[in-house]
Amino acid sequence: MNIETALERVRTGPQGPETAAFFDFDGTIVHGFSGLHFFRDRLLSGNVGATELAAAMLNGMRGTETEDDFDRFAATVFKAWRGHSEQELYDLGNRLFMSTIAGHLYPEAWQLVGAHQNAGHTVVIASSASRYQIQACSDALGVDHVLYTPLEVRDGVLTGRVDGRSLWRSGKARAARAFMDTHGIDSDTSYSYSNGGEDAGFLAETANPTATNPDRTLQRIALEKGWPILRFRPRGTPGAKELVRTAAAYGGLIGSVWTGLGLGLLNGSRKVALESILNLGPEVSLALAGIDVRVVGQANAWATRPAVFIFNHQSQLDPMILAKVLRKDFTGVAKQEIAHDPLFGPLLRFGGVTFVDRGNTERAVAALGPVVETLREGTSVVIAPEGTRSLTPAIGGFKKGAFRIAIEAGVPIVPIVIRNSGEMLWKHSTLLRSGTVDVAVLDPIDVGDWSPDDLGDHIAEVEDLYRHTLGRWPVTP
């Protein structure tokens, strides 16, 4: 089963909160084992003693074949948290999610969670990890229900002991069954997803189990029982191939810039130089990176110009993607910090990009004034209304600047929805991954009758348009 089949199964299946979708966490929603990030953080900060390190290594070599093995492992891990407050651990979980774990989130898992939410299902994350390891991700995904291994807390401080049974193997299966009984869930219409053979009992609690990125044990069980198998693209640390492709892509971009500048000098035209860079740079750089851009609605990029093109911002790759789609006669608005980037800063300045100081509202508004004149003179403008790159594929709140500019200039808004650019180049990464980025250029939106009083409602509708598009991707007629 592929991801599109899995999504269609959810869309066409039973709807409503009586149907639940249970997701394992490590290996199912995020690549790898999130606990390693917590352990590494303590190790690098010098908070792991010799005894704890030796115990962790010994348990790792023994493996976790039985529930007793896991309980012994959990006791070693959670004992180290003794004396720390819950708030400290929630803060640590948030920090590690933002700096590392979000980059290991499977985009396909995000799509699946969203499909279940759109179907009105009760979505649950069930894990043998502690809540502190899961909460930041569940918040980012908008998942309200989390089942986890409980830790003993006294006066807001952890004792270092597990409070009851861990949610490993039979413990997770029992927790899922108890949740269904308590919340009136129909197991005959519900779904479960996990990657580990130890979760066979957990998966069997629902009528629609899916072996997701299965290990050998679960793959064997799934084949025996006729369960569907779903695999996501790995999200681990990029390797040598990605390093080579990244170097080639940046080299290709630099070469294209110099070629464009040379053509501009030969023709005595800044316009020729800029259009040559915009056409050569993305084509060469993306090809060397092994990144294909698949566009739906390309005609909308040319239907009404000038226009304010808005896009959901996930990656530093987005400007090249937009240049490939829009080709010419546009400029942009970017944050002030990127003006100092040694590679992109000079290039963006040459392209007439307006830099905005997001920390100073008054200066930001003043800087956007000339953008209106740029539009009136016939040049389109590209703006990311979220204001910054997202950690996940989720849509953040849109700011009003782009919409006010369009209203004042009397031009339409054209939404560009980008899917998967964060997978090719995550916010906190510098290495490119090969693959396909999907782009949908939606119909132009006339803002002629918008007013300041209803601007917020209109912007909310555009945000929902992005969420709907990402949730059910359009296809070429």
Side-chain angles (χ1 to χ4, degrees):
M1 181 168 64
N2 59 32
I3 184 62
E4 292 303 328
T5 302
L7 293 171
E8 192 62 22
R9 180 180 67 160
V10 175
R11 293 171 187 143
T12 58
Q15 311 285 288
E18 296 82 12
T19 295
F22 292 90
F23 287 84
D24 172 51
F25 186 62
D26 292 320
T28 303
I29 289 179
V30 297
H31 180 105
F33 179 47
S34 61
L36 288 177
H37 301 294
F38 283 74
F39 184 80
R40 184 177 63 183
D41 183 81
R42 296 188 64 252
L43 185 65
L44 293 177
S45 60
N47 293 323
V48 176
T51 302
E52 181 188 348
L53 181 60
M57 292 176 64
L58 181 61
N59 282 321
M61 289 186 289
R62 286 175 176 168
T64 50
E65 295 297 326
T66 69
E67 293 187 30
D68 286 342
D69 289 335
F70 182 83
D71 287 343
R72 183 169 55 248
F73 172 73
T76 301
V77 172
F78 296 135
K79 182 179 179 180
W81 291 359
R82 179 176 58 193
H84 292 276
S85 70
E86 285 195 288
Q87 190 58 54
E88 282 182 87
L89 291 171
Y90 280 128
D91 290 344
L92 174 60
N94 281 321
R95 176 168 62 79
L96 291 178
F97 178 75
M98 294 180 68
S99 66
T100 307
I101 297 173
H104 293 264
L105 171 66
Y106 287 114
E108 301 94 336
W110 175 82
Q111 292 179 56
L112 261 179
V113 168
H116 282 291
Q117 291 169 331
N118 290 336
H121 295 167
T122 300
V123 181
V124 185
I125 295 176
S127 173
S128 59
S130 70
R131 182 156 198 162
Y132 316 108
Q133 295 163 256
I134 307 167
Q135 190 64 54
C137 188
S138 69
D139 289 344
L141 292 170
V143 175
D144 295 327
H145 303 286
V146 179
L147 306 178
Y148 52 91
T149 294
L151 303 184
E152 187 179 71
V153 179
R154 293 182 181 176
D155 299 324
V157 177
L158 278 76
T159 66
R161 293 188 290 269
V162 175
D163 189 10
R165 295 295 303 273
S166 66
L167 264 68
W168 196 75
R169 203 181 283 277
S170 65
K172 187 184 292 186
R174 285 194 301 270
R177 170 53 57 186
F179 182 92
M180 288 190 280
D181 292 343
T182 302
H183 291 80
I185 300 299
D186 182 0
S187 63
D188 290 337
T189 63
S190 292
Y191 304 75
S192 50
Y193 304 87
S194 184
N195 73 303
E198 72 279 1
D199 278 345
F202 162 72
L203 289 169
E205 290 292 339
T206 71
N208 298 295
T210 301
T212 310
N213 310 317
D215 59 18
R216 291 181 180 179
T217 301
L218 183 57
Q219 178 169 311
R220 175 180 53 78
I221 294 171
L223 291 172
E224 290 173 355
K225 294 181 176 292
W227 292 348
I229 294 175
L230 179 61
R231 294 191 184 277
F232 300 154
R233 179 173 173 164
R235 296 292 298 157
T237 303
K241 183 172 69 174
E242 286 76 19
L243 178 61
V244 171
R245 284 188 178 276
T246 300
Y250 282 116
L253 177 61
I254 293 170
S256 299
V257 169
W258 282 110
T259 299
L261 291 173
L263 290 171
L265 286 172
L266 287 173
N267 290 273
S269 170
R270 178 178 177 275
K271 181 178 176 63
V272 168
L274 185 57
E275 289 186 1
S276 298
I277 292 170
L278 290 175
N279 281 274
L280 284 173
E283 292 289 350
V284 173
S285 186
L286 292 172
L288 290 170
I291 295 173
D292 183 37
V293 178
R294 186 167 51 196
V295 184
V296 176
Q298 179 70 67
N300 289 325
W302 301 96
T304 310
R305 292 208 184 189
V308 173
F309 291 95
I310 60 173
F311 69 101
N312 54 314
H313 196 11
Q314 296 181 32
S315 171
Q316 201 169 5
L317 192 64
D318 293 341
M320 282 195 286
I321 295 168
L322 292 164
K324 183 176 175 69
V325 173
L326 299 178
R327 294 293 180 181
K328 63 178 183 177
D329 298 330
F330 72 93
T331 185
V333 175
K335 62 182 180 181
Q336 183 67 44
E337 294 89 333
I338 203 170
H340 306 294
D341 185 283
L343 176 60
F344 291 104
L347 183 58
L348 293 176
R349 282 195 294 270
F350 183 72
V353 168
T354 299
F355 297 101
V356 175
D357 182 357
R358 294 179 301 173
N360 188 311
T361 303
E362 186 175 335
R363 287 182 183 175
V365 172
L368 291 176
V371 176
V372 174
E373 291 304 315
T374 297
L375 285 159
R376 288 174 176 166
E377 291 169 2
T379 300
S380 296
V381 173
V382 179
I383 303 177
E386 292 164 300
T388 188
R389 285 172 288 166
S390 302
L391 282 168
T392 73
I395 297 298
F398 285 2
K399 295 178 172 59
K400 295 179 179 179
F403 302 92
R404 285 174 170 161
I405 289 170
I407 292 170
E408 190 173 344
V411 301
I413 290 280
V414 180
I416 299 179
V417 187
I418 301 175
R419 183 174 72 167
N420 294 344
S421 68
E423 182 181 352
M424 304 303 119
L425 180 61
W426 185 55
K427 180 175 181 177
H428 294 320
S429 178
T430 57
L431 295 181
L432 294 162
R433 299 172 185 265
S434 61
T436 299
V437 175
D438 288 312
V439 179
V441 187
L442 306 185
D443 294 336
I445 299 172
D446 185 359
V447 298
D449 60 350
W450 289 15
S451 71
D453 294 335
D454 59 17
L455 184 57
D457 293 335
H458 286 300
I459 293 174
E461 291 173 359
V462 177
E463 287 180 18
D464 286 340
L465 179 62
Y466 272 77
R467 294 188 182 98
H468 174 78
T469 303
L470 286 169
R472 193 174 186 104
W473 196 255
V475 294
T476 304

